[in-house]
Amino acid sequence: MVSSSELLKRYANGERDFSGADLRGIKLYGSQGKEIDLSGANFSGANLEGAILSHVNLDNANFSHTNLKEVRMNGKINNTDFSGADLTNAHIGASRINGAKFRGANLTNVDFGANGLGNTNIDFANANCTNTKLTCDLIEAKFQGANLRNAIFRHQNLYWYRANLSRANLSQLDLSGQNFYTLEMRGVNLNGSNLVNTNLKSTNLEGADLRNTNLENADLTYANLRNTQIEGAINLDPKIYLIWHIINQEAENINLAGIDLSCANLQNVNLSGLDLRGVNFQRANLTKANFSHADLSSANLKNAYLSNANLESANLSQVDFTGAKLNSANLNQANLNQANLLGTNLEQARLQNATLYNANLTDANLEGADFTDADLTGADLTGTRLFGTNLTNTRNTSGSASIFSNSPNNPNLGLLEQIRQASKGLYYGSEADYPYEVFLWEVANRGEFTLEGLLEVFGFLREIPCDDFRNGNFDNLQWLQSSANSSRLLPENKQVIQSFRTLLLQLEPFLTNLQVYRLAVPAQDLYIVIGNTPSEDWLGISTKVSSYLEQQHYSSQIFRFRDSAVAKLENQELIVTLENEIAEVSFASEYIKNFVWEIAEQKSALIHNVLDTVGIVTTNEVENPFASETQAELVHSNLTNLRLYRLTAGEIEMYIIGQTENGDWIGLHTKAVET
């Protein structure tokens, strides 16, 4: 048996032929700065079972017909020959393996690791890849005749452990049931292969060869089919063929009105000027698509992806955009009359001169959007988010937008303008700098200022139908489907809601006038259920957030509301029942822990205390609203009852609020990023 020191000594003396040598269990440890050089060595027919070859240069080495069972190797393996070798249970770590040959090799249970090093031209022809983890860069790899029936091209949902099969040759192979979900397969050759029941969802197949493939029950949802060849494909879904046709050939001569294109990947497609009335684009990927001057009236675009899409001068009347992503889209001069934009993301979108007559913008995110000269007559802007929104010359703004449109004779307008000018050009310094927005809370128009009202105005807190929350079918809950977090966290939302339903059944004898609120924050929707207790006080139940979301800044206790509600005898049986029912409840979500509750005599006080207990909102005294002492003095000398509200974590909404001499409130809204 040859030892490691003997092997290295012989190699240093110029020997290169170690064919047939017994090298079982040999251990060679180099380092990134000083790797061991065995390039060009001949190990054909040798026994290296259980060997460790770490940071070893094996470029151009010959391991043909070698016993490499259980071997662990990493380093350089460029143009190395493993033809006919037995690598059962081997691990090939982060290695450069360009041009390596595994022709006819036994690769059963081999783990190629992440290996995201751009490796190309690896030859797996006729190899046995049973349970082989091919989760690395395999660009231009050759698999002719290989057994890939049980090969693994992506390791669970780990981002780095997935194959890159760009321009690889996978022709004439049995790939039925394989999982290629989200893989990069640009230019791959699948000509004549069996793809029955294969998962190609969200796969990039641009320029791929799918000619003569069997695509029976293959999932091509969201797949990129640009420049893909599909001639002679068997059992191709007619819907997939239509998507391919729209992407790769002229769509002008196709009657698309009323067609189902849901979940299609139509990125960058040009459909300008076409009749698309009533088309179902639900959940379709329409990123950067061109719909300018098209007629999309009454189309279904629920939860569609339209980031950076061009919809200029398009007819979008009565379109359902519920939950759609329209961030940075061009909607200038578009007709959005009676469109449903519930929960839509319109961040940085352009809507100059657009008409939104009777449009539903409830809970929409309009941050940074440009509505210059837009007509919002009859539009519902309840709960919209308006940070940095340009509403210049908009007509008939209502709802939350009206907080920036004040009564012309309000005595606080002069002070409001002074603070606005003082904050102009200033930014709140954090990991990302944000400007200040200044607004006036007119008590005569909006009622007394409360945290509840503030969060409602800025679109974070919304009341939802109690009957739906308690009894509704999850698939029909519009407020749930339109949630910004619905696609990622819908199962977790369902579990939380179901737990609430079970709890409320036990509390039904004690509570009246039930109301349900949804607090929409970036990582997780939170729900607050409130109702009147036997003493006519208010009980509120919500869920405690995890440390991931919980504010690192804690509330000042002077802002919590205290009264005698919790001590009243009429509430004691309710409290005992509640505590018993929630004691064993926990949630699978990484964002929430358990149920929490509060009781207060006033509804506004209750919601304030619940949000504080949940850990998603903190309230503190204000010390320095601006870095400049002169500008800070302007606020301190003119406003009383100052407080700072901070909402959520990571990207934090910040509101500095103070009361004017006549009882109105002036607020400064900005953001901070703390990670």
Side-chain angles (χ1 to χ4, degrees):
M1 182 180 294
V2 180
S3 67
S4 58
S5 58
E6 182 183 351
L7 172 65
L8 295 177
K9 183 177 180 181
R10 287 166 60 180
Y11 185 89
N13 289 331
E15 187 174 346
R16 296 292 182 268
D17 188 0
F18 303 98
S19 57
D22 187 352
L23 296 163
R24 285 172 296 167
I26 193 170
K27 294 178 174 58
L28 297 174
Y29 295 97
S31 64
Q32 284 187 319
K34 190 177 181 181
E35 64 184 10
I36 296 170
D37 186 10
L38 290 174
S39 59
N42 179 13
F43 295 100
S44 61
N47 186 353
L48 283 95
E49 184 171 352
I52 297 176
L53 305 172
S54 179
H55 293 292
V56 179
N57 183 351
L58 296 166
D59 286 351
N60 300 298
N62 183 1
F63 286 96
S64 60
H65 304 287
T66 302
N67 180 0
L68 292 165
K69 293 179 181 178
E70 308 284 346
V71 75
R72 301 181 67 84
M73 63 173 65
N74 63 67
K76 294 178 181 176
I77 317 176
N78 298 301
N79 301 307
T80 303
D81 189 357
F82 294 95
S83 300
D86 187 351
L87 289 103
T88 303
N89 297 320
H91 185 280
I92 300 177
S95 306
R96 298 190 180 278
I97 50 178
N98 294 292
K101 299 178 180 65
F102 294 93
R103 299 177 66 89
N106 183 1
L107 300 175
T108 302
N109 296 321
V110 172
D111 186 350
F112 279 89
N115 277 345
L117 300 172
N119 295 308
T120 61
N121 291 303
I122 305 170
D123 191 348
F124 293 98
N126 301 307
N128 179 7
C129 296
T130 303
N131 296 319
T132 306
K133 291 185 175 67
L134 294 162
T135 53
C136 58
D137 284 349
L138 299 169
I139 301 165
E140 299 177 355
K142 304 173 183 67
F143 289 96
Q144 295 96 318
N147 176 14
L148 296 172
R149 191 68 182 85
N150 293 302
I152 299 166
F153 290 95
R154 64 191 316 276
H155 183 58
Q156 298 175 354
N157 290 317
L158 299 177
Y159 178 80
W160 296 112
Y161 289 83
R162 58 183 68 189
N164 181 343
L165 292 163
S166 296
R167 303 185 301 282
N169 189 343
L170 290 161
S171 60
Q172 307 296 325
L173 294 174
D174 182 5
L175 298 169
S176 56
Q178 263 296 348
N179 183 9
F180 294 119
Y181 173 59
T182 71
L183 295 190
E184 181 62 52
M185 299 179 73
R186 188 189 305 262
V188 69
N189 182 0
L190 291 162
N191 193 326
S193 289
N194 180 7
L195 297 171
V196 174
N197 296 317
T198 299
N199 184 356
L200 292 159
K201 187 175 181 179
S202 300
T203 301
N204 185 4
L205 291 165
E206 183 174 355
D209 186 351
L210 292 171
R211 292 176 297 171
N212 307 307
T213 55
N214 186 349
L215 291 164
E216 184 178 358
N217 294 321
D219 188 351
L220 286 153
T221 306
Y222 293 120
N224 181 1
L225 300 174
R226 189 170 295 279
N227 299 319
T228 302
Q229 301 176 70
I230 60 170
E231 293 81 2
I234 304 167
N235 297 313
L236 178 64
D237 187 325
K239 178 179 174 180
I240 298 300
Y241 177 76
L242 176 60
I243 293 168
W244 176 87
H245 195 283
I246 292 170
I247 294 170
N248 295 289
Q249 299 182 7
E250 292 294 330
E252 293 180 359
N253 299 322
I254 307 175
N255 181 11
L256 295 176
I259 291 294
D260 178 16
L261 292 171
S262 58
C263 300
N265 186 341
L266 294 168
Q267 294 183 74
N268 298 293
V269 73
N270 182 11
L271 296 171
S272 60
L274 297 187
D275 181 359
L276 301 170
R277 289 174 294 174
V279 173
N280 181 7
F281 284 115
Q282 185 169 4
R283 296 189 180 278
N285 186 351
L286 303 165
T287 304
K288 296 183 179 179
N290 184 3
F291 291 100
S292 61
H293 300 278
D295 186 354
L296 285 142
S297 54
S298 300
N300 181 358
L301 284 149
K302 291 176 67 174
N303 296 298
Y305 299 88
L306 289 148
S307 300
N308 294 287
N310 182 5
L311 294 142
E312 185 169 9
S313 300
N315 182 3
L316 305 172
S317 61
Q318 299 182 17
V319 169
D320 189 350
F321 283 108
T322 300
K325 310 295 186 292
L326 281 153
N327 46 300
S328 300
N330 179 3
L331 291 148
N332 290 338
Q333 290 88 47
N335 174 6
L336 287 152
N337 294 339
Q338 301 181 64
N340 185 5
L341 293 146
L342 172 67
T344 302
N345 183 353
L346 284 156
E347 280 188 88
Q348 306 297 325
R350 302 185 300 284
L351 295 108
Q352 296 178 17
N353 289 296
T355 58
L356 296 103
Y357 179 78
N358 283 344
N360 180 12
L361 286 154
T362 302
D363 289 341
N365 186 349
L366 310 181
E367 294 188 9
D370 187 355
F371 281 84
T372 302
D373 296 315
D375 188 350
L376 290 159
T377 302
D380 186 351
L381 282 85
T382 304
T384 53
R385 300 187 191 177
L386 294 164
F387 187 82
T389 306
N390 186 352
L391 297 167
T392 304
N393 296 328
T394 53
R395 296 182 290 286
N396 298 299
T397 53
S398 62
S400 56
S402 65
I403 198 168
F404 298 102
S405 303
N406 308 120
S407 302
N409 58 347
N410 190 293
N412 295 305
L413 291 180
L415 175 59
L416 181 73
E417 186 59 26
Q418 278 185 277
I419 296 176
R420 183 173 287 139
Q421 290 301 319
S423 63
K424 195 171 184 179
L426 296 181
Y427 295 85
Y428 184 85
S430 63
E431 293 178 34
D433 295 339
Y434 285 95
Y436 289 87
E437 283 185 326
V438 185
F439 61 91
L440 175 63
W441 184 283
E442 296 182 298
V443 172
N445 296 328
R446 295 196 167 273
E448 291 299 324
F449 173 80
T450 61
L451 175 58
E452 172 191 355
L454 179 72
L455 295 179
E456 285 180 340
V457 162
F458 281 92
F460 293 102
L461 187 67
R462 296 286 296 122
E463 185 172 1
I464 57 178
C466 184
D467 286 343
D468 282 0
F469 185 82
R470 295 186 66 187
N471 306 304
N473 186 311
F474 286 123
D475 294 331
N476 298 324
L477 300 180
Q478 189 176 44
W479 48 266
L480 184 59
Q481 306 300 327
S482 67
S483 165
N485 308 305
S486 62
S487 60
R488 186 162 59 90
L489 294 167
L490 190 56
E492 295 182 10
N493 271 320
K494 289 180 179 180
Q495 195 241 335
V496 172
I497 295 168
Q498 189 57 55
S499 296
F500 266 109
R501 289 175 173 179
T502 303
L503 176 61
L504 290 174
L505 282 175
Q506 304 305 314
L507 300 181
E508 202 165 28
F510 303 98
L511 295 177
T512 58
N513 191 26
L514 280 177
Q515 298 169 32
V516 182
Y517 292 86
R518 173 169 63 93
L519 182 68
V521 294
Q524 172 75 59
D525 287 350
L526 297 171
Y527 301 97
I528 305 169
V529 177
I530 69 172
N532 286 127
T533 73
S535 62
E536 297 299 315
D537 297 314
W538 289 91
L539 171 74
I541 308 166
S542 189
T543 46
K544 179 75 173 174
V545 299
S546 68
S547 57
Y548 173 79
L549 283 177
E550 191 172 5
Q551 292 280 357
Q552 300 304 308
H553 303 264
Y554 299 96
S555 291
S556 171
Q557 292 301 298
I558 66 171
F559 292 104
R560 277 189 70 89
F561 290 88
R562 293 175 174 81
D563 55 41
S564 61
V566 72
K568 292 179 181 178
L569 291 176
E570 304 98 303
N571 295 326
Q572 293 310 300
E573 186 179 354
L574 165 60
I575 291 172
V576 170
T577 303
L578 174 61
E579 288 284 11
N580 288 337
E581 291 298 325
I582 70 175
E584 302 300 325
V585 178
S586 61
F587 298 99
S589 170
E590 63 178 302
Y591 299 106
I592 59 176
K593 296 179 181 177
N594 47 264
F595 281 120
V596 293
W597 60 272
E598 291 284 344
I599 288 182
E601 293 177 335
Q602 300 296 322
K603 177 183 170 184
S604 59
L606 170 78
I607 290 180
H608 183 287
N609 287 352
V610 167
L611 291 171
D612 183 59
T613 301
V614 164
I616 206 69
V617 179
T618 61
T619 313
N620 291 96
E621 300 92 337
V622 175
E623 295 181 2
N624 295 305
F626 300 117
S628 165
E629 290 186 11
T630 302
Q631 292 158 326
E633 178 60 24
L634 175 64
V635 172
H636 279 289
S637 61
N638 288 283
L639 300 177
T640 59
N641 295 320
L642 281 164
R643 73 280 310 272
L644 166 65
Y645 296 109
R646 296 165 59 94
L647 169 66
T648 194
E651 185 173 279
I652 301 170
E653 300 283 335
M654 301 176 64
Y655 302 90
I656 300 167
I657 308 293
Q659 195 168 25
T660 66
E661 191 175 61
N662 75 332
D664 288 339
W665 297 76
I666 288 179
L668 295 95
H669 174 209
T670 187
K671 293 186 179 185
V673 175
E674 297 176 3
T675 57

